[in-house]
Amino acid sequence: MLSPSTKSRFSMAKTVISTVGSVAAAAAVVHTFSRQYLPTEFRREVENYIHLSLRTVLNNFSNQLTMVFYESEGFGDNEIYTAAQCYLATQIPSDIRRVKVSKNPNEQKFNVGMETNEEYTQGRPRE
């Protein structure tokens, strides 16, 4: 016999699964409709808007910071990019494009690793 709290959890799980299924079905219908009836340019603009909106909402719940170092700034080289490239060249293979760099307050060195769900096999990174 199941306890009341277990029954409540099952009920909540059923509700969540049902809601996710309904949202997925609605998204599939909207996607199909937009591909068939909306002009490509308009559809791309709407997709970009939705993508940016979702990314903004999800980034509000993230505790991670993404830093981008561009290779050049205007007509000159970016010294921070060059320094990062020199440091990382000693830490990882040159064909890895995304890395995770972290440092805990109680550690003296940076931790350098690959992005989550990325593997390094046979000389090539895989996502």
Side-chain angles (χ1 to χ4, degrees):
M1 182 151 174
L2 298 175
S3 68
S5 65
T6 305
K7 287 181 182 179
S8 173
R9 288 182 184 164
F10 278 133
S11 174
M12 184 176 221
K14 286 180 184 178
T15 303
V16 168
I17 291 171
S18 174
T19 303
V20 168
S22 297
V23 169
V29 168
V30 168
H31 183 264
T32 301
F33 174 81
S34 70
R35 290 197 77 123
Q36 290 179 354
Y37 299 109
L38 296 179
T40 304
E41 298 81 22
F42 180 73
R43 190 176 74 238
R44 284 189 183 138
E45 290 297 323
V46 170
E47 288 172 354
N48 287 338
Y49 176 77
I50 291 171
H51 177 75
L52 282 173
S53 298
L54 285 175
R55 203 160 113 193
T56 301
V57 168
L58 293 177
N59 284 343
N60 288 335
F61 295 106
S62 175
N63 62 355
Q64 296 179 349
L65 169 69
T66 301
M67 298 177 74
V68 178
F69 301 113
Y70 290 103
E71 188 171 357
S72 61
E73 184 66 31
F75 293 111
D77 290 339
N78 183 349
E79 291 181 5
I80 295 174
Y81 176 86
T82 305
Q85 187 178 34
C86 289
Y87 173 76
L88 292 174
T90 65
Q91 304 292 317
I92 59 170
S94 62
D95 53 349
I96 296 288
R97 292 290 172 225
R98 293 177 58 106
V99 294
K100 182 174 92 172
V101 180
S102 62
K103 182 188 170 298
N104 292 325
N106 57 347
E107 293 179 353
Q108 295 295 320
K109 297 182 178 181
F110 292 107
N111 299 313
V112 179
M114 289 185 290
E115 185 71 33
T116 306
N117 297 327
E118 185 175 344
E119 300 176 357
Y120 184 78
T121 57
Q122 299 177 358
R124 300 207 140 178
R126 289 187 349 181
E127 287 192 30

